[in-house]
Amino acid sequence: MKSYKSTVEFLFSLQNFGIKLGLENIESLLNIFGNPHRQFPSIHIAGTNGKGSTAAMLSAVLTCAGYKTGLYTSPHLFDFRERIRINGIQIPENKLIGYTPQIQNFVSQNHITFFECTTATAFKYFADEKVDIAIIETGLGGRLDATNIISPLLSIITNISIEHQEHLGNTIENIAAEKGGIIKKNVPCITGSENTIAITILKKICKEKRAKFYQAHSIVKIAERHIGINKNIYEIKSKQFNSNNLQVSLGGFYQSKNIPVVLSALNVLSKSNNKSEFKFKISANNINEGLNNIQAFTGIYGRFEIMRRQPLIVCDVAHNPDAILKLSYSVQQLFPKRGMVVFGVMKDKNIDEMLLVLKKLNLPVIAVQPKTERALSSKEIVHKCHSLGISCFHGGEVQNGVNFGLSRISKDEFLLVCGSFYVAAELKKI
């Protein structure tokens, strides 16, 4: 590859091979790279929602504690390099250009997918840069996800609800089993799930793997002192960390579910009876500073993010029914009474359920279509909304939809933009 542009074009061309679950391809790729995934400690995160926020919060605290911290998440909003970061800094273009030719022939000949190639590249970069720890987010599911080639210090399953039924199954039991597939022998597992069926499945897997099982909400007690759009304040009680004023730079009520998971993970990583050779010293100051400056330490975007204040425009990457439900609750509690929702979504999502949740907001919807073949057409969204009794306008492209919304609301009202990472990305570019 001669340029960053041609490198990224090659990587995106691999999306034509779709999604392939299984570890055979990633194992071959990593072998070509010298098995970099065995050269750094890691934390592995799966779950229906909250993976990205949880990964970012852990990364921020560990970076603040002085550790060289890799962060692998997906998807990106602007630049492919957002997926692969160390201490919040994206992988340099020249590194990406240098890695791709090493595996290009094998990738092309064996129809390796975009995510498999990206995962191998991230692991190679983290190994070459000798990170102290890497936070690795699964792409889809867990058991057969390409990231599941690692042997982490800790497995995290944020929560479990119905999603990606075509790949993971139609029941909570099936989905819990797939996500629980990241649990490794003798490796502790933390979950933020409060679903009794899911917890039963995860406990069973942990027992079979002799892995300690932790429920975050029994380890960390959390009380909401202030929930805002751009910052939350909590009272925290746990064995290793207590605070009457923990400030978190991600807003919205749903972060209250992620914080206990993060603090439980930090507790397991740092506690004195951790038998791992890797021990992490994390102070209360590290936790306070890291969680109060998550965006600065990680570059995370699109989580209840204020794009403009008058009128208020908030962007959120909620893209499944459970995430939309949590987002809607925050909107009802924190937003002005009047506004509009700009909504775009991918074809493979449970769209009717998402719209039924949005319907409860009793707000007009502006249907938009981001620039990707995966997107459901804005006309189809309008049709679905009208069939469900939702007032809906046709917005077309994201920019047109946002401009239409701005023309219809006053400075005291709001525009909520949600439904997809792709919609968030186009809004940020605007």
Side-chain angles (χ1 to χ4, degrees), residues 318 342-346 354 366-370 376 381 398 418-420 423:
V342 177
F343 180 77
V345 67
M346 300 299 103
M354 295 171 73
I366 303 168
V368 296
Q369 181 176 349
L376 185 70
I381 295 174
V398 174
C418 64
S420 169
V423 173

Side-chain angles (χ1 to χ4, degrees), residues 342 366-371 378 394-404 426 430:
V342 177
I366 303 168
V368 296
Q369 181 176 349
K371 299 171 184 176
S378 48
H394 180 253
E397 292 186 359
V398 174
Q399 182 162 358
N400 291 337
V402 170
N403 287 339
F404 176 79
E426 291 189 26
I430 297 169

Side-chain angles (χ1 to χ4, degrees), residues 89-141:
I89 300 172
Q90 299 173 13
I91 180 174
E93 291 184 3
N94 67 310
K95 287 283 187 181
L96 195 63
I97 294 168
Y99 289 143
T100 306
Q102 298 177 46
I103 54 175
Q104 185 175 359
N105 288 338
F106 180 84
V107 166
S108 299
Q109 291 168 9
N110 293 277
H111 292 184
I112 305 299
T113 68
F114 171 81
F115 188 72
E116 289 168 334
C117 192
T118 303
T119 300
T121 300
F123 292 172
K124 173 65 171 169
Y125 178 56
F126 294 156
D128 285 353
E129 294 300 311
K130 296 180 172 58
V131 297
D132 296 313
I133 190 167
I135 316 298
I136 309 296
E137 178 191 355
T138 59
L140 192 156

Side-chain angles (χ1 to χ4, degrees), residues 48 85 98 232 398:
T48 303
R85 303 171 184 262
N232 295 340
V398 174

